[in-house]
Amino acid sequence: MTTTPIPRPAHRRHVEATGADPRARGTARGERLRDALPAAIDTYDRLFALGGISPARVREDAERALDDIGRFRPGARAEIEGIAHGSGIDTWRIGALNARTEILARSATVPPGECTTLVRRTTGAGGPAPRTFGVQTWDWHVELSGAWHTQEIRGGRHDVVGLTEDGILGKIGINSAGLALHFNILGHVRDGVGGVPVHVLAAIVLEEAGSVAEAVELVRSAPLASSGSFALFDGVDAVLLDLSPVGVFPVPAENGTLVRTNHFLTPEPAANEKTWLYQPDSGERHDFVRDRLGRGRGPATPEELAGLLVTGDGEPAVTCLPDLDKPLGQRWASLATVALDPATRTARILDGTPADIGSRDWRVLTAA
């Protein structure tokens, strides 16, 4: 195994788009990403081909996803069309990026990434006021290390800040109402195209929902054909959801903490999980972090929580470095570390792994 530091741009892109009109916001995004999008599209084309998904199938799936998005939220489709217009790229190509999880679900050779998420609710007993905060690694193909950006999207019902991939409406972030969303991929045998893509749903939730309760109601209203996990939390509430084609299921918290890796934690979707893609790695990471949480007092700050995600040789790869001995599609890397804090409406994004905390600077974005 030959691991290497993750290649990173000297200056990570930051995209701002403001306006009440979704298409205009999308156009602003597309103009900012015009030079970057071809590389992202090329890498995903290679991943689709590696998974045995033909270009014709990719286009068909992308156009179907765009229709599904348009039926659920016409504004979200208009924003995607705006990205295409602003970048000069065909709309179906941007649709394929937004539906990349659903399209890749057809593949048996390109497994999903390996993210680890923690959300902590402190009680405030005898000390500071209660507080909820979260942190996660975003682990994905190292070939896409240059194909993501931070963002500020303002002008919808709520302003949103966070991280997403080039061309994709949303992923991880927090809004001006103090609703935070961490995102992990899961896998069910029924996953595919035919509903609202999970990345698009994440963007819709952050733009529209003002609380955990509103977010859960919105998620339950969405037609889903693929799987994922949203950790949703605000100043007073937190919930971890298993999302799947067979339903949406809340996961009970343990000692005020939500722990998520990449397998289902509720029985109904777990009965038909793609365990061959996720295990034993996901279970090992989950058990390792839970064991750490059980030692001593619980983390009282986002920084302490993030420290639990630092791992090294001989430990489960919560901090994930790419193995260059492996081929395309199997070189996992912690592309970013993200901490969300509803109390301050802030997303802190590290262009680095949890082990880089202290040696690299956080980019701090405020939605309020």
Side-chain angles (χ1 to χ4, degrees), residues 3-368:
T3 59
T4 185
I6 298 165
R8 302 182 186 278
H11 301 286
R12 177 65 60 184
R13 278 185 305 282
H14 180 67
V15 172
E16 299 181 20
T18 301
D21 178 59
R23 183 179 174 90
R25 288 200 308 266
T27 298
R29 291 195 198 212
E31 290 171 349
R32 182 69 177 85
L33 295 168
R34 177 182 290 268
D35 294 336
L37 278 167
I41 291 169
D42 177 71
T43 301
Y44 274 110
D45 280 350
R46 292 163 61 204
L47 291 170
F48 295 148
L50 183 66
I53 308 164
S54 71
R57 171 62 77 181
V58 171
R59 180 166 186 166
E60 180 181 331
D61 284 350
E63 291 176 341
R64 182 178 179 186
L66 287 167
D67 288 342
D68 293 329
I69 294 164
R71 279 189 289 269
F72 185 67
R73 288 296 189 275
R77 174 167 183 157
E79 195 157 359
I80 292 170
E81 290 172 343
I83 293 173
H85 176 72
S87 62
I89 292 171
D90 289 343
T91 300
W92 74 266
R93 284 288 195 177
I94 307 302
L97 293 177
N98 280 271
R100 58 87 158 163
T101 298
E102 290 70 26
I103 297 170
L104 285 172
R106 295 185 180 279
S107 169
T109 58
V110 182
E114 305 172 347
C115 304
T116 305
T117 295
L118 300 174
V119 175
R120 174 75 175 160
R121 173 76 172 162
T122 61
T123 62
R131 185 181 181 192
T132 306
F133 46 88
V135 65
Q136 79 165 96
T137 59
W138 173 46
D139 302 347
W140 196 224
H141 303 283
V142 73
E143 291 83 2
L144 288 159
S145 63
W148 64 271
H149 61 273
T150 59
Q151 64 175 4
E152 297 179 54
I153 308 300
R154 304 185 186 275
R157 181 184 177 197
H158 302 293
D159 296 339
V160 178
V161 298
L163 170 158
T164 193
E165 295 178 63
D166 294 347
I168 297 180
L169 292 187
K171 185 188 293 288
I172 304 160
I174 191 165
N175 70 20
S176 51
L179 175 71
L181 186 153
H182 284 297
F183 184 107
N184 293 58
I185 291 298
L186 309 176
H188 191 276
V189 295
R190 286 176 54 182
D191 286 346
V193 177
V196 179
V198 286
H199 282 85
V200 176
L201 182 58
I204 292 169
V205 166
L206 286 171
E207 180 179 343
E208 295 186 10
S211 66
V212 168
E214 287 184 10
V216 172
E217 182 179 3
L218 194 162
V219 170
R220 290 191 183 280
S221 74
L224 288 173
S226 59
S227 301
S229 168
F230 292 170
L232 298 161
F233 53 105
D234 54 29
V236 298
D237 198 6
V239 66
L240 183 64
L241 299 178
D242 279 352
L243 313 180
S244 77
V246 297
V248 176
F249 305 90
V251 179
E254 295 184 32
N255 301 317
T257 304
L258 302 172
V259 180
R260 167 65 78 190
T261 50
N262 298 98
H263 60 280
F264 289 108
L265 297 174
T266 55
E268 188 166 343
N272 286 291
E273 184 171 38
K274 293 180 177 179
T275 53
W276 59 91
L277 292 180
Y278 298 87
Q279 301 292 12
D281 171 80
S282 182
E284 290 172 349
R285 283 183 289 121
H286 191 270
D287 292 346
F288 180 82
V289 173
R290 284 183 63 212
D291 180 65
R292 277 188 167 178
L293 282 164
R295 302 176 193 169
R297 69 177 183 86
T301 66
E303 292 77 13
E304 290 180 4
L305 196 65
L308 298 181
L309 301 181
V310 179
T311 55
D313 293 341
E315 295 176 324
V318 177
T319 296
C320 188
L321 294 175
D323 182 353
L324 297 186
D325 292 336
K326 293 185 176 180
L328 172 72
Q330 298 181 35
R331 297 172 179 169
W332 309 123
S334 293
L335 300 185
T337 307
V338 185
L340 304 177
D341 188 350
T344 57
R345 310 294 200 266
T346 57
R348 299 174 64 207
I349 300 164
L350 186 75
D351 194 350
T353 76
D356 294 322
I357 295 172
S359 63
R360 300 179 67 89
D361 293 332
W362 295 90
R363 178 171 289 177
V364 182
L365 305 174
T366 303

